[in-house]
Amino acid sequence: MANLVRREVVESARTVVVKVGTNVLTRPDETLDLARIASLADQIHRIRQTGRQVVLVSSGAVGAGLSILGLKKRPDDLAHLQAAAASGQAHLIHLYNEAFQRFGTHAAQILVTANDFKNRSRYLNVRNTINTLFEYDVVPIINENDTVSINEIKFGDNDRLAAMVTNLLHDPLLVILSIVDGLYDRDPSDPHAQHIPLVESWDDELMGMASDRQSTRGTGGMKSKLDAVRTATAVGECVIIADGTDPQVLDRIIDGEEVGTLFLAKGTSIPAWKRWIGFTVPPRGRVTIDTGAVRAIEEQGRSLLAIGIAGVDGEFDRGSVVALVDPAGQELARGLTNYDAQTVRRIAGKRSTEISELLGGGVPYAEVIHRDNLVLTR
């Protein structure tokens, strides 16, 4: 039964997003593992021969830069990290390009920051670039632009970036390659740890199974991978976390073998516009709604009206993405607001007739957030 599910997931995928972390790409001395890069290119070539497209989200630029700059360890300060990334990125993409040229194709580099996903037009430009590269039979290789990223515009790690890239594409499967063979019920170093091959539906308790340890040479760990899983499965995509040190891991996944952990999608895929609203753009503020509004939105698919609003946190403009939270403070949805924060505070809890008097000249919008611009997140 499990293998049947795996085969169905793989068969339905037209695009495979492969995320490979620093620990998979580097040796213990933090230099790049050239054999691993060649092996990944071989396997990606075989996936593309099945008629699928592949996008590679690759870490490793900083690791590649260490040897070029003669550094003995990963720098602690931002300036030296960015210098290592700048020199290493060119070397990394050169190695990938050489590996793919053996099969008559090329690698293309796409460097992004989180701001490229927050801005709707830039978000669409990233998607258009990827799709155009597919037309030319080129393998897009995406990484965060570490040379300019600072804390305010960073993704945090490439696991999150990979999930956001997956949201851009049609019929994707996200494969996150780590140095651990998927999810375990406790720290994998525990001799009693049990491997979990299949997660049928997301449960917040899964986070409790993830080790707190960060990966040794990268920026993420299992918790960041599970955050990426939650983002991707929430919009209707499946995810596999598997051991990238296995030289045939991608071949085995495409063959439907039970490797790693498969996380099944939650429900059906949602439109790209709502993916951007609900799972790409960080909310600018929070709107607390009463229990009646919670039921109307979650159970009846209604819009958010002013009368259901109990409180507003933060400052935001008209057209911003805001989070909707229930009386207990738990987020249930996100949406594009028709009013700025100051106006929402004035009309909160009011009926349409009262809003007309408060604002003067009628009611510009009957809804604070229309249901077409509203996405459930839990």
Side-chain angles (χ1 to χ4, degrees):
M1 179 63 178
N3 281 353
L4 179 61
V5 172
R6 293 251 178 177
R7 284 195 293 270
E8 289 177 354
V9 166
V10 172
E11 285 298 318
S12 64
R14 304 271 39 94
T15 308
V16 181
V17 178
V18 179
K19 184 269 175 177
V20 56
T22 300
N23 281 309
V24 175
L25 287 177
T26 55
R27 302 185 183 94
D29 64 359
E30 301 198 4
T31 59
L32 284 178
D33 188 331
L34 302 185
R36 182 75 38 77
I37 290 175
S39 174
L40 282 170
D42 290 349
Q43 294 176 81
I44 289 171
H45 171 66
R46 287 191 284 273
I47 294 175
R48 296 173 78 245
Q49 285 186 309
T50 68
R52 297 176 176 87
Q53 301 287 1
V54 179
V55 176
L56 180 60
V57 178
S58 178
S59 303
V62 173
L66 297 185
S67 57
I68 293 174
L69 299 180
L71 300 174
K72 301 300 182 183
K73 65 183 183 68
R74 185 183 180 92
D76 295 322
D77 65 291
L78 181 61
H80 286 86
L81 273 173
Q82 291 178 330
S87 55
Q89 188 66 46
H91 183 51
L92 182 64
I93 199 71
H94 172 71
L95 292 173
Y96 275 127
N97 196 54
E98 280 192 330
F100 285 116
Q101 279 183 323
R102 292 179 293 136
F103 308 109
T105 190
H106 295 277
Q109 176 178 261
I110 302 177
L111 297 177
V112 294
T113 68
N115 277 346
D116 296 318
F117 286 78
K118 294 175 185 176
N119 180 284
R120 178 68 178 168
S121 62
R122 286 156 68 178
Y123 171 85
L124 293 175
N125 283 339
V126 174
R127 183 177 68 182
N128 292 340
T129 299
I130 293 171
N131 287 331
T132 304
L133 289 171
F134 287 160
E135 292 178 16
Y136 288 96
D137 200 32
V138 172
V139 180
I141 300 181
I142 303 176
N143 193 7
E144 181 164 13
N145 192 350
D146 290 318
T147 60
V148 300
S149 286
I150 55 177
N151 288 337
E152 287 79 4
I153 60 172
K154 285 182 70 68
F155 290 98
D157 54 69
N158 273 353
D159 298 315
R160 175 168 168 72
L161 171 57
M164 294 168 76
V165 169
T166 302
N167 287 350
L168 288 168
L169 304 170
H170 294 295
D171 302 322
L173 169 64
L174 172 57
V175 177
I176 298 176
L177 297 182
S178 178
I179 54 173
V180 180
D181 188 28
L183 183 65
Y184 287 75
D185 62 356
R186 65 196 75 181
D187 192 317
S189 63
D190 187 324
H192 301 292
Q194 297 292 313
H195 180 252
I196 302 172
L198 177 66
V199 176
E200 297 189 47
S201 60
W202 177 265
D203 188 320
D204 287 340
E205 292 182 2
L206 291 173
M207 283 294 184
M209 299 180 187
S211 170
D212 290 327
R213 291 184 302 172
Q214 183 174 297
S215 58
T216 55
R217 296 186 294 278
T219 58
M222 185 54 71
K223 286 187 182 297
S224 76
K225 290 168 179 54
L226 291 180
D227 276 332
V229 167
R230 178 165 51 189
T231 297
T233 56
V235 298
E237 314 304 352
C238 296
V239 184
I240 294 175
I241 298 178
D243 183 2
T245 64
D246 178 348
Q248 295 179 309
V249 63
L250 295 178
D251 293 326
R252 296 175 64 196
I253 286 171
I254 295 302
D255 287 341
E257 291 186 32
E258 193 174 281
V259 294
T261 300
L262 168 62
F263 299 82
L264 295 182
K266 175 185 176 182
T268 58
S269 181
I270 69 172
W273 169 243
K274 289 200 170 186
R275 293 182 185 206
W276 183 77
I277 293 172
F279 300 96
T280 302
V281 186
R284 294 286 300 276
R286 299 200 330 162
V287 175
T288 302
I289 61 178
D290 61 28
T291 54
V294 171
R295 286 195 300 271
I297 289 170
E298 284 195 316
E299 299 173 15
Q300 301 167 15
R302 300 284 185 87
S303 301
L304 174 64
L305 305 180
I307 195 170
I309 297 175
V312 179
D313 295 312
E315 298 300 327
F316 48 84
D317 300 320
R318 173 175 173 259
S320 297
V321 173
V322 297
L324 303 187
V325 299
D326 62 22
Q330 299 297 310
E331 182 181 309
L332 65 132
R334 293 181 183 180
L336 293 180
T337 174
N338 286 325
Y339 297 98
D340 60 27
Q342 183 179 357
T343 304
V344 176
R345 289 189 179 96
R346 291 180 63 194
I347 65 178
K350 302 292 192 298
R351 298 183 182 277
S352 296
T353 53
E354 297 174 285
I355 295 172
S356 180
E357 294 175 3
L358 275 171
L359 301 183
V363 181
Y365 298 96
E367 309 88 1
V368 175
I369 300 177
H370 192 276
R371 63 184 179 184
D372 289 347
N373 295 324
L374 191 62
V375 183
L376 297 178
T377 58
R378 73 175 182 186

